[in-house]
Amino acid sequence: MTLDVAWALRWVRRSAEVVAEHRIELIELDRQIGDGDHGENLHRGYTAVVARLDALDAPPAQVGDVLKLVATTLMSTVGGAAGPLYGTAYLRAAKVTGLDELDAGAVVAMLEAGLEGIVARGKATTGEKTMVDAWSPAVAAAVAAADQGAEPGAVLDAAAQAASSGAEATIPLVATKGRASYLGERSAGHADPGATSTALLLHAAADAATGTGPA
């Protein structure tokens, strides 16, 4: 499966689906250690993204055009920390994907740029119980897969699997960044909602690479 504009569009629509499917789960996770709005905010944001795609007169020309549309829409519609963080991730990713299609190296560059954007915006590092704890292993896994000659879709799948493991690994962590850090030791025992949604979105990208999800 070629990772072209059609793939990027499938990724966006699949992302909207998985966010809707897991909205309550994300709300509950955020209610445990945050303000409870992560699932609702993302659902509103991706609903707006799909509406903007549906309103386009012509499909975007390059992968980066799709990611830029996602970025600007999330930044303008998603409240809390998620809008700026995800928006910056997509915007940075858009800057390195001004391409008709992505090879394995371009997938790695896209993911690396997304992580760099989140780190720059959130000033977080691994071990602080944030979405970085899912993004960082995802990038490492993507690099390893690409170095081993994996196809672009397999690189995305490796990233998604690592993100899921990273999200699960946030459960015992004590948050030292963001709203959850106010809880101190009480933040342990719950998965970070941003890390969880990161894994969901990267799985949506991998699903789109296999043709799974809406056209």
Side-chain angles (χ1 to χ4, degrees):
M1 180 66 69
T2 302
L3 301 192
D4 54 10
V5 170
W7 160 77
L9 294 172
R10 285 195 304 274
W11 178 17
V12 173
R13 295 184 186 279
R14 181 60 185 148
S15 294
E17 285 185 345
V18 298
V19 166
E21 290 165 6
H22 293 270
R23 181 178 66 89
I24 299 302
E25 174 192 349
L26 293 173
I27 288 172
E28 290 303 319
L29 284 176
D30 199 29
R31 191 168 286 155
Q32 297 295 331
I33 61 173
D35 50 15
D37 63 355
H38 189 62
E40 196 60 52
N41 282 342
L42 282 185
H43 180 53
R44 180 171 62 253
Y46 279 94
T47 298
V49 171
V50 170
R52 281 195 64 187
L53 285 179
D54 290 342
L56 293 177
D57 293 329
Q62 297 179 322
V63 172
D65 296 328
V66 178
L67 302 186
K68 184 176 181 180
L69 181 147
V70 176
T72 56
T73 306
L74 293 183
M75 285 177 169
S76 64
T77 59
V78 177
L85 288 171
Y86 274 128
T88 302
Y90 278 104
L91 195 58
R92 292 285 187 94
K95 291 180 179 179
V96 298
T97 53
L99 304 163
D100 294 334
E101 62 181 69
L102 310 185
D103 60 14
V107 171
V108 170
M110 175 185 73
L111 296 174
E112 287 178 332
L115 173 59
E116 289 166 3
I118 288 170
V119 170
R121 191 66 185 248
K123 312 299 182 188
T125 187
T126 53
E128 294 183 319
K129 202 181 182 88
T130 72
M131 62 174 62
V132 173
D133 290 306
W135 272 93
S136 187
V139 167
V143 170
D147 286 347
Q148 292 167 10
E151 294 295 323
V155 173
L156 279 176
D157 188 60
Q161 298 296 338
S164 290
S165 296
E168 186 175 354
T170 65
I171 293 173
L173 296 180
V174 174
T176 57
K177 201 79 175 179
R179 184 180 292 270
S181 66
Y182 302 155
L183 296 177
E185 295 289 337
R186 287 181 296 147
S187 64
H190 308 283
D192 178 70
T196 302
S197 62
T198 292
L200 291 172
L201 294 173
L202 291 180
H203 275 288
D207 287 347
T210 64
T212 306

